[in-house]
Amino acid sequence: MKPVILLCLFALVGCIKHTPSYSPAGKSLSQEDLQTSRERTKMLNLLEKSQIEDWIKSQAENYEATSSNYWINVGNLHDRSRKTNGEIISYQYEIYDFDWVKLYDDPIKNINVTFGRFEELKPIEDALRYINKGEEVILLIPSALGYGAVGDGDRISTDMPLIIKLKVL
């Protein structure tokens, strides 16, 4: 009899409707909510910018701020020729936190992808348009240009700035 009762209890628990912990799609936010979100993002961006700039000062390597709001260890990146949509590229990258802890064991690799037809973090795609085959660069990416307020659901937490080692294959 006990196994039947336990089975019934498990079945009942499984039928409970769980309330989502996020805003349902299509729900409009009030102007106050939008303003609060803008202010939070603005303050977070300023804080992360300051933290990244302080981190850079403690490094032996030089990093240059880009107009796209990330940093790279290559000078005058945007003075180079820019790859256009339709060009094909192969690349890989590794993701680290700002303690240089690698977040994933294996690099993320994309072979023969076409500019304009693949989706990547904006700083990665921007840097790829300027770096050459065989070249490896380091990107410092604030959370707003990375995985933002949601993270990746695995090892990248919410509001986490990232270091990306990017190489064109």
Side-chain angles (χ1 to χ4, degrees):
M1 187 69 174
K2 284 184 183 180
V4 172
I5 293 172
L6 285 175
L7 184 59
C8 289
L9 283 173
F10 285 126
L12 285 173
V13 170
C15 293
I16 295 172
K17 183 177 180 179
H18 298 280
T19 305
S21 60
Y22 54 87
S23 298
K27 177 186 176 198
S28 59
L29 298 173
S30 69
Q31 288 301 319
E32 184 179 334
D33 290 340
L34 290 172
Q35 186 59 34
T36 301
S37 178
R38 280 189 214 104
E39 289 299 318
R40 179 193 176 281
T41 301
K42 182 179 176 182
M43 294 307 295
L44 181 62
N45 286 340
L46 290 172
L47 175 64
E48 286 182 1
K49 180 180 180 184
S50 173
Q51 290 172 334
I52 291 171
E53 288 172 344
D54 287 345
W55 183 89
I56 290 170
K57 290 175 188 173
S58 70
Q59 303 302 303
E61 190 155 17
N62 292 323
Y63 293 88
E64 185 174 291
T66 68
S67 60
S68 299
N69 297 319
Y70 67 92
W71 291 259
I72 189 165
N73 67 335
V74 173
N76 301 315
L77 180 72
H78 290 99
D79 291 341
R80 297 177 175 196
S81 63
R82 183 179 190 275
K83 295 174 185 73
T84 59
N85 284 347
E87 290 188 54
I88 295 176
I89 192 166
S90 296
Y91 62 96
Q92 71 179 29
Y93 61 92
E94 296 174 309
I95 304 174
Y96 298 82
D97 67 15
F98 270 79
D99 290 323
W100 281 107
V101 173
K102 190 188 281 190
L103 299 177
Y104 291 97
D105 294 331
D106 297 323
I108 297 165
K109 189 180 284 190
N110 290 300
I111 305 297
N112 295 328
V113 294
T114 305
F115 277 109
R117 294 196 180 140
F118 67 93
E119 291 188 27
E120 193 57 82
L121 296 176
K122 292 299 179 192
I124 292 174
E125 184 174 350
D126 183 64
L128 284 171
R129 290 193 182 263
Y130 297 97
I131 60 177
N132 301 311
K133 187 173 184 173
E135 191 172 11
E136 184 173 275
V137 298
I138 298 173
L139 310 177
L140 309 177
I141 301 175
S143 65
L145 295 176
Y147 292 87
V150 294
D152 75 344
D154 193 5
R155 296 188 182 169
I156 300 173
S157 63
T158 61
D159 299 326
M160 184 178 190
L162 301 170
I163 297 173
I164 305 284
K165 276 189 173 181
L166 174 64
K167 182 176 183 176
V168 177
L169 305 174

